[in-house]
Amino acid sequence: MIYDCIGSLGHFAIWLLAIPVFPHFAGAASNRVRLAIVGCHAKGRGFTVMKAAMRVPGVEIAWVCDVDSRAREFAADHVLKATGVKPKMEKDLRKVVEDPLLDGIISETPDHFHAYSAVLAMKAGKAVYVEKPCLFCPEEGQILMRVARETKQVLQVGSQRRASLSYRAAFDYLKKTNAISAMRSEER
């Protein structure tokens, strides 16, 4: 399916809603999608994405994973207050993906860890949503694609910032005012 970019977390929410229709999840005993948030620091993007994921019907934040224990505790407490269920906490993604009841991960880690976390999760049989950039070099992209094909796992790379309402408004303003063309003509 092809989606238009519709707001800061629009296509992310669509992805979460679409998970249950994928054959991978069709045989699930429940209608819930159990996710791990990897990189959940309140000052980072992961916490914001986690809050958005919790608003999607049928999504359960089953794990919060972060190397910072304070981030794990804060995120887990937030999930508990919002849903009444406290997720499991772990600093090591390798342990998280061992959970047979986990359906997928949302990787909001520092950039250098994006490809590694995605490959690790797919090899463990989990769907993956990873923030951009998903790779540091072309070889990582080739590895991601190969592992996604081999494991038949869902791999989605997000780029919400470009779809956010504030960026769209800025682009519309620049287009409307012809500001870019004006700057170019002054350079000549």
Side-chain angles (χ1 to χ4, degrees):
M1 290 185 208
I2 299 174
Y3 302 106
D4 290 330
C5 295
I6 54 167
S8 64
L9 290 173
H11 60 284
F12 168 72
I14 289 169
W15 175 78
L16 285 175
L17 290 170
I19 286 178
V21 302
F22 292 147
H24 178 78
F25 298 104
S30 74
N31 290 330
R32 301 201 59 75
V33 177
R34 300 184 78 241
L35 298 175
I37 305 295
V38 184
C40 55
H41 201 284
K43 292 183 180 178
R45 180 131 174 84
F47 190 77
T48 302
V49 172
M50 180 188 76
K51 291 190 304 183
M54 289 189 309
R55 291 192 302 264
V56 177
V59 170
E60 175 188 343
I61 305 300
W63 288 86
V64 290
C65 180
D66 201 295
V67 294
D68 185 340
S69 62
R70 297 167 300 173
R72 288 191 306 270
E73 282 291 337
F74 186 79
D77 288 344
H78 184 82
V79 173
L80 175 61
K81 286 176 190 163
T83 67
V85 178
K86 188 167 186 174
K88 295 177 184 174
M89 297 179 291
E90 179 56 57
K91 69 178 179 179
D92 188 342
L93 176 60
R94 294 172 294 188
K95 293 179 182 174
V96 173
V97 298
E98 290 175 357
D99 181 350
L101 299 177
L102 185 68
D103 296 308
I105 72 161
I106 298 173
S107 181
E108 296 290 338
T109 60
D111 295 353
H112 68 274
F113 199 68
H114 285 178
Y116 177 76
S117 64
V119 167
L120 187 66
M122 286 187 293
K123 284 187 174 184
K126 313 304 178 198
V128 174
Y129 172 87
V130 63
E131 250 332 296
K132 67 161 185 61
C134 65
L135 51 95
F136 260 8
C137 62
E139 291 79 17
E140 285 184 346
Q142 292 167 350
I143 292 168
L144 280 172
M145 295 309 298
R146 179 178 47 77
V147 172
R149 275 190 220 102
E150 288 173 359
T151 62
K152 296 181 179 17
Q153 292 303 315
V154 175
L155 170 64
Q156 180 169 341
V157 179
S159 58
Q160 283 76 31
R161 186 169 288 157
R162 291 195 170 121
S164 75
L165 296 177
S166 58
Y167 273 70
R168 302 279 304 188
F171 290 137
D172 290 346
Y173 172 79
L174 290 173
K175 232 170 143 179
K176 181 179 166 185
T177 61
N178 210 17
I180 300 294
S181 294
M183 285 190 289
R184 285 186 184 145
S185 63
E186 285 181 24
E187 289 176 2
R188 294 179 185 162

